[in-house]
Amino acid sequence: MLPEFLKELFANQQYDENNFFLIAGPCVVEDEDLLMEVADKVSGICKRLGIPYIFKSSYRKANRTSANSFTGIGDDNALHLLQKTGKHFGLPVTSDVHAHDETAEAAKYIDILQIPAFLCRQTDLLLAAGDTGKIVNVKKGQFLSGPSMKFAIEKIKSTGNNKIILTERGTTFGYQDLVVDYRNIPWMQEQNVPVVMDCTHSLQQPNQTSGVTGGNPQLISTIAKAAIATGADGLFIETHPNPAKAKSDGANMLHLSLIEDLLEKLVKLRKAVVSL
């Protein structure tokens, strides 16, 4: 069952209460046409399948390997486009925030503040995000165990904000790979918060000598199915109509044309899991 703060978030959507919820969209705001195309496609699919849907795109990418990597089109422009997309399709929207002094401004435009994995221990950022009163989605650091995320939760709750989501996104394996420990899903659920599986970033291959992160998008379906089987409350999937030309994380995003078939399969799997 969804917690009350998510039921309120999805109040204007019709969905199956036994379904997982979805956070999906292109990695970064590139232009208005991209946001509208992806939101239109994914929202239509989710409506048909009864999946509550949150649109995601980062207004700025601060965590990039190379100084030459694309970071965004400007904060104000990107935030306005995110808000416009959400209003146009009647969707809640989410984006990364990277510093404590960004949170109040971002909260004017988005419904969920997402804390990047590398920043999940930044106390001032977590407190500032909590102070906005918005939902805060904290991605588990690649260097942390699931149970240790209770400390991030405690920091946000100290502000009086109990609207918290945790997201699993893999664990560092060597220098250039990640693995997913599915024990982290039930372990983090013990904190009485919804837990999301990031099905795309968990397939990244970081620290490439080219300065561009690699990935294994052919395994997105595998990661997603395993997460549903393990009991994840939600899924996070970055998707793009042309990942090869995406300006960020193209190597691990799902092609937009493939998301409908995947979601259909995941809904069937979810029904089987719920019936057990």
Side-chain angles (χ1 to χ4, degrees):
M1 293 290 292
L2 293 175
E4 287 302 317
F5 70 84
L6 284 182
K7 289 181 180 178
E8 293 175 6
L9 186 73
F10 299 128
N12 68 335
Q13 297 186 38
Q14 293 183 342
Y15 59 90
D16 181 347
E17 292 186 357
N18 290 318
N19 233 335
F20 57 88
F21 64 92
L22 178 68
I23 303 172
C27 180
V28 65
V29 177
E30 298 177 18
D31 55 46
E32 182 175 348
D33 288 344
L34 174 65
L35 298 192
M36 290 293 177
E37 179 181 358
V38 175
D40 184 35
K41 175 77 171 180
V42 180
S43 64
I45 295 167
C46 287
K47 184 176 181 180
R48 179 174 66 82
L49 296 176
I51 302 171
Y53 174 42
I54 300 162
F55 181 77
K56 184 269 169 187
S57 194
S58 295
Y59 67 87
R60 172 159 41 91
K61 297 298 292 185
N63 300 331
R64 305 308 307 275
T65 302
S66 170
N68 296 321
S69 296
F70 176 80
T71 58
I73 60 173
D75 292 359
D76 288 344
N77 191 11
L79 283 167
H80 277 95
L81 287 179
L82 280 171
Q83 185 181 59
K84 181 178 181 179
T85 303
K87 287 184 176 180
H88 184 80
F89 293 100
L91 299 171
V93 295
T94 185
S95 179
D96 295 311
V97 290
H98 303 91
H100 70 278
D101 54 1
E102 294 178 25
T103 58
E105 184 64 19
K108 297 176 184 177
Y109 299 92
I110 60 179
D111 303 284
I112 301 175
L113 303 180
Q114 181 172 285
I115 309 298
F118 284 129
L119 303 177
C120 69
R121 294 181 64 188
Q122 295 298 107
T123 300
D124 58 351
L125 175 57
L126 293 172
L127 295 178
D131 280 335
T132 67
K134 295 284 186 172
I135 299 170
V136 183
N137 177 22
V138 188
K139 287 195 166 184
K140 181 186 74 63
Q142 301 93 318
F143 43 86
L144 292 177
S145 68
S148 67
M149 289 300 291
K150 69 178 182 179
F151 301 109
I153 292 173
E154 289 173 357
K155 291 175 183 179
I156 297 168
K157 283 187 174 181
S158 73
T159 69
N161 188 342
N162 296 316
K163 297 181 289 187
I164 303 165
I165 300 170
L166 294 181
T167 294
E168 165 63 32
R169 53 97 74 232
T171 301
T172 299
F173 184 72
Y175 291 107
Q176 295 174 318
D177 207 357
L178 299 169
V179 294
V180 177
D181 182 351
Y182 285 95
R183 295 177 299 176
N184 283 323
I185 292 176
W187 279 341
M188 290 193 291
Q189 287 172 329
E190 290 177 2
Q191 301 301 317
N192 296 312
V193 297
V195 174
V196 173
M197 181 70 230
D198 184 336
C199 303
T200 45
H201 289 99
S202 59
L203 291 167
Q204 284 182 329
Q205 294 176 312
N207 303 319
Q208 300 297 310
T209 56
S210 65
V212 179
T213 298
N216 289 295
Q218 69 275 12
L219 294 174
I220 291 172
S221 176
T222 300
I223 295 291
K225 290 174 183 175
I228 293 296
T230 313
D233 301 289
L235 298 177
F236 179 108
I237 300 174
E238 287 191 334
T239 182
H240 194 284
N242 191 348
K245 292 187 176 181
K247 295 183 178 181
S248 176
D249 283 357
N252 55 267
M253 275 196 281
L254 181 69
H255 197 289
L256 186 61
S257 65
L258 301 177
I259 196 166
E260 184 167 18
D261 180 67
L262 175 59
L263 291 177
E264 287 175 347
K265 292 175 180 176
L266 294 174
V267 166
K268 292 177 183 178
L269 180 58
R270 174 74 171 197
K271 288 180 180 178
V273 170
V274 169
S275 68
L276 293 176

